[in-house]
Amino acid sequence: MKIQYLDREHLLSVKNSYFNILALFLGQSKIESRFLRCLLKWGFQLHLNPEDLTKANIDLTHLQFADPGDKVSKLEAIYHLVYMIYLDEVVEDVELEVATIYAEQLGFRASVVSDLFKSIATATYDDKNERNVRQEVLDFLKLYEI
């Protein structure tokens, strides 16, 4: 069973997190082709189009990585990324590597990616009808004392 986005706000948050990770990698002097393929795959999965860039007020020529802010916002950004990886039910090593690079850039240990992935993957077996992403992130922070 595949998890679906609950609402437009959640999808918008995921897209904004995607744009930020895209900026992180495009800001490097050289980007490995396997990372670029991964980033493009995610863009297709999110069904991004020029209107999304306009709504997010993003100009790709001036796209810059921005630190999400506090610890909760940073973990939420990683959560969105891991959630996106989980959505297509095909997890590639390069996806986890990109997520780990992003997590480390935000100041987390590499293991946070696998821990979040496990949490998301097992959520379908929990008896939750509605997902509150922010609350899940707060619970995760408490549980793992990050």
Side-chain angles (χ1 to χ4, degrees), residues 92-108:
E92 299 175 38
D93 290 341
V94 68
E95 290 179 305
L96 296 175
E97 189 175 350
V98 168
T100 300
I101 291 168
Y102 189 55
E104 290 175 334
Q105 178 68 31
L106 296 180
F108 292 98

Side-chain angles (χ1 to χ4, degrees), residues 1-2 17 32 39 42 45 47 50 57 72 78-79 83 95-96 99 107 128 130-131:
M1 180 178 175
K2 193 156 67 169
S17 292
E32 292 185 38
L39 293 166
W42 290 342
Q45 284 178 330
H47 305 287
N57 198 25
V72 173
I78 299 166
Y79 180 98
Y83 187 88
E95 290 179 305
L96 296 175
K128 293 182 182 179
E130 288 190 34
R131 296 178 65 96

Side-chain angles (χ1 to χ4, degrees), residues 20-137:
N20 203 33
I21 194 165
L22 181 64
L24 174 68
F25 279 86
L26 291 179
Q28 298 174 355
S29 59
K30 183 179 177 185
I31 182 171
E32 292 185 38
S33 61
R34 63 193 180 103
F35 292 153
L36 184 58
R37 281 192 300 275
C38 178
L39 293 166
L40 290 172
K41 173 188 169 185
W42 290 342
F44 292 131
Q45 284 178 330
L46 290 171
H47 305 287
L48 293 177
N49 59 56
E51 186 178 310
D52 291 316
L53 295 171
T54 303
K55 284 181 184 176
N57 198 25
I58 292 176
D59 176 3
L60 284 178
T61 59
H62 297 99
L63 190 63
Q64 290 186 339
F65 172 76
D67 189 296
D70 64 9
K71 205 173 218 182
V72 173
S73 297
K74 289 178 181 183
L75 187 62
E76 194 170 28
I78 299 166
Y79 180 98
H80 290 314
L81 177 59
V82 173
Y83 187 88
M84 186 172 50
I85 291 169
Y86 179 77
L87 278 180
D88 72 350
E89 298 176 345
V90 177
V91 181
E92 299 175 38
D93 290 341
V94 68
E95 290 179 305
L96 296 175
E97 189 175 350
V98 168
T100 300
I101 291 168
Y102 189 55
E104 290 175 334
Q105 178 68 31
L106 296 180
F108 292 98
R109 296 182 318 270
S111 63
V112 76
V113 171
S114 61
D115 292 341
L116 277 171
F117 191 84
K118 288 178 215 167
S119 176
I120 291 168
T122 59
T124 57
Y125 300 105
D126 296 340
D127 290 330
K128 293 182 182 179
N129 292 331
E130 288 190 34
R131 296 178 65 96
N132 180 332
V133 173
R134 191 105 176 137
Q135 188 58 51
E136 286 182 39
V137 167

